[in-house]
Amino acid sequence: MYPNHIIFLLFTLLVCVFPSPAISNYLIGVGSYDSTGPAAGVNMMGYANLDQSTAGIHFRLRARAFIVAESSEGPRIAFVNLDAGMASQLVTIKVLERLSKRFGNLYTEDNVAISGTHTHAGPGGYMQYVVYSVTSLGFIPQSFDAIVTAIEMSIVQAHQNLKSGSIFINTGDLDNAGVNRSPSAYLFNPPDERSRYPRDVDTQMTLLKFVDGTSQKSIGAFNWFATHGTSMSKDNTLVSGDNKGAAARFFEDWFASKTTNSTTFDAQDDINILKEKATAIKATGGQPCGKTTSQGFKVRKNADGSKFVGAFCQSNVGDVSPNVLGAFCTDTGLPCDFNHSSCHGDDQLCIGRGPGYPDEIKSTKIIAERQFLKAVELFTSAKQHLTGKIDYRHVYLNFTNIKVSLAGGRSGMTCPAALGPGFAAGTTDGPGAFGFQQGDTKINEFWKLVRDHLKKPSDYQVDCQKPKPVLLSTGEMFFPYAWAPAIVPIQILRIGKLVILSVPGEFTTMSGRRLRESVKQTLISNSDGEFDNDTHIVIAGLTNTYSQYIATPEEYKQQRYEAASTLYGPHTLLAYIQEFNKLAESMAKGHKIGNKGPSPPDLSSVQLKLLPDPFGESSPPGIEFGDMKEDVSIPKSGFFSKGDKPSAAFWSPNPRYDLLSEGTYAVVEMLQGKRWVAAYDDDDFSLIFKWNVYNGSSYGLATLEWEVPDTTSNGVYRFRHFGSSKKTISSATEYFTGASSAFTIS
């Protein structure tokens, strides 16, 4: 549930959950669906760390969607905020195919945007280009299907819940949730440009509030703010939505606590009675159950998609880190080298520190709370009513050969995709390979031999990418299939005076500022007053596909991580600005797009799948799945207090046999009279589900750990675990549950 120590602050706010009546000028709908992928043995997407594979769930991932339409027959847009590292071209293709079967041409590539939050703690294997699936050992259908289904169902829910309503917009600054992780590169930007901004990161949060026109109740809120999903480190193995996913969980729980008759628990204060009750209740042992049984134990049931949806969306996040204490050397404790973010030449020793350092879960919570509190402030004070047209523009671009205009009448070209050695160095959020540093402009002979064995870059590529030295010429690598995208989408969505720029990558702070400013000026200068200085421009990062980073030409010169990962060469940003301005001019003048560009490939038929499915397993002799391996260890006092961490371990097979979507692997139940009621599940920040193989054997263990929140009622509790198994790879899936002995909280 939402953090206790901020309750007092929240009550001091004027909680305008029920705003004054407003004109209902749109059809609005929101939806949300579980997108949690395999919780064991699947490499995580984000850090490209071969050792980082899933081993449990901190809290579940979700796809959250809103739809806005002028009318039932008029223009509409659908926006999905996805708890994932980034959008995937193949995911987008397959989602659109499913939507076409359901709705015809109502939702298409033109008016649907799918934007990743950029958590680095979600399962990988859902991307179609080689460079993004090397560490996941190729394509993982289970990861992919979970994401595609969640996006589809979130849009279906939003569509089914469309109703007359209003949208309010609000903006405000959040100063302590991000720092620039490449400050030396930022300083390469012109001094007069930098002087226009108080910080080297963007601090503005933009929030939309959706209000039902009949009941005048809020049904959802989406906001955009730039900070990386890297509060959880590259050593983390728990599936997590990171700081943005946690902020969404806190926001939705806060709203529910203010507006609904949520489950209340009768606290009991006689500790001796509680202890006596708990002592008498023993573990149940493993018992069979149904495929959907765990769904009935969910704390937040939302089968019809009617619950409030709060989403924290990503923006121009390229160089923004949530590790706000700065980067320090792990061996000396001193600040890292400013230009290279290394420690005496070693990039792996330079690590960013979050505000809860050294506790990454605490850091995640703090950065999440800061975003959540700002969102509550903007939500409760939102008064500006969005009105005006719903509109959209979309085009595909072959980004390997776009001609751009340069100063002095010169021209330049974008290049086939390539990565420089600064990419291999990683960042202060997650250092990369030994022997590389950010800012490297040379490649040693050994790595040149390795590179050339894979693919020697063409002379054209080497020249085109300068001053980036080409470590991997991914745009020229096609075995066993394409390593990097050549064709990428760009998109503009409009809700009245709000314009959303859907970008297929991570723009740095200054790149995002230049894009926003240029598009805004284009809209204003090409319209008859329809757009003006009050027009809001937001960037939705990592949307519809992924093409890595977009640094400014000046930042590109230093070749830190973001510049080395700017795939299409030094003119990448200029090309984006140029092409977005074409869409903006078309929108401002009311013209349709004639040539929508070449369609991206669907590489689903050629994907390599090198990670095997679980082969089937049995429980240890004389043991049933769901039996206790380690029951709750009761303290000498006979009870647990707030802040304590009771735990229990169950014999349990690999959770990949069933993702239990919209269900749960872990529950904390509270005894209410003679009935057990679910109080927490694996979508709560306080309850952690872990899975691992026991002591080198072939048997698995599920461990449930609960940090008792300060808001927990005194009473008798127990753990419950759900899981599934197959005896062989071809046998039917069997489902089970088991509960621990009871324990007391006082």
Side-chain angles (χ1 to χ4, degrees), residues 330-343:
T330 56
D331 56 346
T332 66
L334 297 174
C336 304
D337 172 81
F338 181 72
N339 287 314
H340 299 283
S341 292
S342 62
C343 302

Side-chain angles (χ1 to χ4, degrees), residues 502-514:
S502 300
V503 302
E506 304 177 57
F507 278 60
T508 62
T509 298
M510 195 63 86
S511 289
R513 289 167 175 169
R514 291 183 190 177

Side-chain angles (χ1 to χ4, degrees), residues 183-203:
S184 62
Y186 181 86
L187 292 177
F188 273 60
N189 294 306
D192 59 336
E193 182 180 35
R194 288 187 278 111
S195 68
R196 294 163 47 200
Y197 304 100
R199 292 278 307 279
D200 58 3
V201 294
D202 283 338
T203 58

Side-chain angles (χ1 to χ4, degrees), residues 398-699:
N398 184 338
F399 237 88
T400 66
N401 58 359
I402 295 176
K403 185 177 181 180
V404 297
S405 298
L406 305 176
R410 298 178 299 113
S411 64
M413 296 287 291
T414 57
C415 321
L419 296 164
F423 159 79
T427 72
T428 57
D429 292 337
F434 177 78
F436 294 94
Q437 289 190 82
Q438 294 192 67
D440 279 349
T441 55
K442 293 183 179 180
I443 305 171
N444 69 38
E445 293 304 314
F446 171 77
W447 288 113
K448 282 184 180 179
L449 287 172
V450 173
R451 174 199 68 185
D452 292 349
H453 178 74
L454 292 170
K455 171 65 179 179
K456 184 176 182 179
S458 66
D459 292 341
Y460 172 82
Q461 176 78 312
V462 170
D463 185 63
C464 186
Q465 290 280 349
K466 287 179 179 178
K468 178 202 294 177
V470 178
L471 178 65
L472 284 174
S473 188
T474 54
E476 297 181 312
M477 299 168 72
F478 300 100
F479 180 81
Y481 41 90
W483 279 55
I487 298 166
V488 299
I490 62 171
Q491 181 185 52
I492 300 180
L493 306 178
R494 178 190 177 189
I495 310 172
K497 288 290 184 72
L498 172 70
V499 174
I500 302 170
L501 308 181
S502 300
V503 302
E506 304 177 57
F507 278 60
T508 62
T509 298
M510 195 63 86
S511 289
R513 289 167 175 169
R514 291 183 190 177
L515 177 64
R516 288 196 305 264
E517 291 175 3
S518 184
V519 167
K520 185 172 184 176
Q521 187 55 47
T522 297
L523 291 169
I524 293 172
S525 61
N526 286 280
S527 68
D528 297 326
E530 202 170 344
F531 298 97
D532 55 30
N533 286 327
D534 293 329
T535 299
H536 299 268
I537 311 288
V538 298
I539 288 175
L542 308 112
T543 300
N544 294 330
T545 192
Y546 185 60
S547 59
Q548 295 184 244
Y549 285 74
I550 300 91
T552 68
E554 295 86 352
E555 293 163 350
Y556 192 86
K557 294 175 183 177
Q558 197 188 19
Q559 282 299 300
R560 286 183 63 108
Y561 177 83
E562 294 80 16
S565 305
T566 296
L567 294 185
Y568 306 111
H571 307 311
T572 299
L573 174 60
L574 295 176
Y576 273 109
I577 291 174
Q578 171 183 285
E579 300 303 319
F580 264 106
N581 279 335
K582 292 178 182 177
L583 292 189
E585 182 177 350
S586 167
M587 179 173 284
K589 292 180 176 179
H591 297 164
K592 297 298 181 183
I593 299 295
N595 181 7
K596 294 191 176 182
S599 295
D602 177 343
L603 301 178
S604 56
S605 64
V606 297
Q607 293 294 305
L608 295 178
K609 306 178 185 76
L610 303 179
L611 182 72
D613 292 329
F615 292 107
E617 52 195 288
S618 299
S619 55
I623 298 292
E624 298 290 339
F625 287 132
D627 284 355
M628 302 304 306
K629 171 64 172 69
E630 295 179 8
D631 210 341
V632 180
S633 178
I634 306 299
K636 291 182 179 179
S637 64
F639 61 89
F640 292 96
S641 300
K642 314 300 168 55
D644 287 345
K645 295 181 179 180
S647 65
F650 298 78
W651 291 107
S652 183
N654 194 316
R656 287 179 63 199
Y657 291 112
D658 195 304
L659 303 181
L660 299 186
S661 297
E662 291 295 347
T664 180
Y665 293 107
V667 181
V668 171
E669 298 177 300
M670 184 182 184
L671 185 63
Q672 295 283 276
K674 295 183 178 181
R675 187 169 64 99
W676 289 99
V677 178
Y680 300 87
D681 62 27
D682 66 8
D683 202 15
D684 275 286
F685 199 85
S686 62
L687 179 59
I688 293 175
F689 162 69
K690 295 181 178 180
W691 187 88
N692 65 288
V693 174
Y694 173 61
N695 199 26
S697 70
S698 61
Y699 304 120

Side-chain angles (χ1 to χ4, degrees), residues 224-244:
W224 289 264
F225 176 79
T227 194
H228 250 79
T230 50
S231 292
M232 300 294 283
S233 75
K234 70 172 188 173
D235 298 319
N236 163 61
T237 57
L238 298 174
V239 172
S240 167
D242 209 275
N243 57 69
K244 287 193 175 289

Side-chain angles (χ1 to χ4, degrees), residues 10-315:
L10 294 177
F11 272 110
T12 65
L13 294 171
L14 294 175
V15 184
C16 303
V17 171
F18 306 103
S20 56
I23 299 172
S24 300
N25 55 316
Y26 297 119
L27 290 178
I28 59 172
V30 297
S32 175
Y33 200 84
D34 186 354
S35 62
T36 310
V42 172
N43 191 256
M44 288 180 165
M45 183 62 201
Y47 288 115
N49 177 13
L50 281 165
D51 296 325
Q52 187 190 24
S53 292
T54 57
I57 296 175
H58 183 202
F59 57 93
R60 287 193 168 248
L61 310 180
R62 300 198 72 81
R64 297 174 168 91
F66 73 76
I67 295 173
V68 183
E70 285 187 10
S71 65
S72 59
E73 302 296 329
R76 66 183 58 204
I77 61 170
F79 185 94
V80 181
N81 187 56
L82 179 67
D83 282 339
M86 62 284 292
S88 154
Q89 185 64 71
L90 190 57
V91 165
T92 301
I93 289 170
K94 297 307 180 184
V95 167
L96 292 172
E97 288 179 359
R98 293 192 187 185
L99 294 176
S100 177
K101 291 178 181 178
R102 284 182 179 268
F103 302 111
N105 63 357
L106 202 57
Y107 301 104
T108 69
E109 62 193 16
D110 293 335
N111 65 348
V112 173
I114 302 168
S115 179
T117 61
H118 208 35
T119 175
H120 285 43
Y126 63 94
M127 309 287 281
Q128 74 167 354
Y129 297 107
V130 172
V131 77
Y132 310 126
S133 60
V134 169
T135 57
S136 63
L137 301 181
F139 187 73
I140 301 173
Q142 198 175 35
S143 286
F144 180 83
D145 292 341
I147 290 172
V148 171
T149 298
I151 296 169
E152 175 194 15
M153 294 310 298
S154 69
I155 293 174
V156 169
Q157 285 184 4
H159 176 85
Q160 292 174 340
N161 292 328
L162 281 170
K163 62 192 74 177
S164 178
S166 302
I167 305 173
F168 296 84
I169 188 169
N170 203 1
T171 61
D173 287 319
L174 175 57
D175 293 323
N176 57 355
V179 295
N180 196 305
R181 68 185 187 188
S182 290
S184 62
Y186 181 86
L187 292 177
F188 273 60
N189 294 306
D192 59 336
E193 182 180 35
R194 288 187 278 111
S195 68
R196 294 163 47 200
Y197 304 100
R199 292 278 307 279
D200 58 3
V201 294
D202 283 338
T203 58
Q204 187 174 87
M205 176 183 285
T206 299
L207 178 138
L208 296 184
K209 178 179 181 178
F210 297 88
V211 179
D212 184 328
T214 301
S215 67
Q216 292 300 305
K217 295 180 180 179
S218 298
I219 63 170
F222 282 62
N223 70 74
W224 289 264
F225 176 79
T227 194
H228 250 79
T230 50
S231 292
M232 300 294 283
S233 75
K234 70 172 188 173
D235 298 319
N236 163 61
T237 57
L238 298 174
V239 172
S240 167
D242 209 275
N243 57 69
K244 287 193 175 289
R249 169 54 49 240
F250 299 159
F251 195 13
E252 290 172 348
D253 287 350
W254 166 80
F255 185 88
S257 73
K258 295 289 183 283
T259 60
T260 62
N261 295 319
S262 54
T263 302
T264 57
F265 298 98
D266 297 325
Q268 302 175 43
D269 296 322
D270 190 323
I271 185 61
N272 291 322
I273 294 176
L274 294 177
K275 288 163 62 176
E276 184 178 343
K277 284 184 179 180
T279 302
I281 301 171
K282 304 303 180 183
T284 64
Q287 301 169 340
C289 67
K291 175 179 174 64
T292 60
T293 302
S294 76
Q295 295 179 10
F297 287 75
K298 286 287 290 183
V299 175
R300 306 164 186 84
K301 299 179 181 68
N302 191 32
D304 61 356
S306 61
K307 284 188 177 293
F308 178 90
V309 176
F312 288 70
C313 311
Q314 198 52 270
S315 192

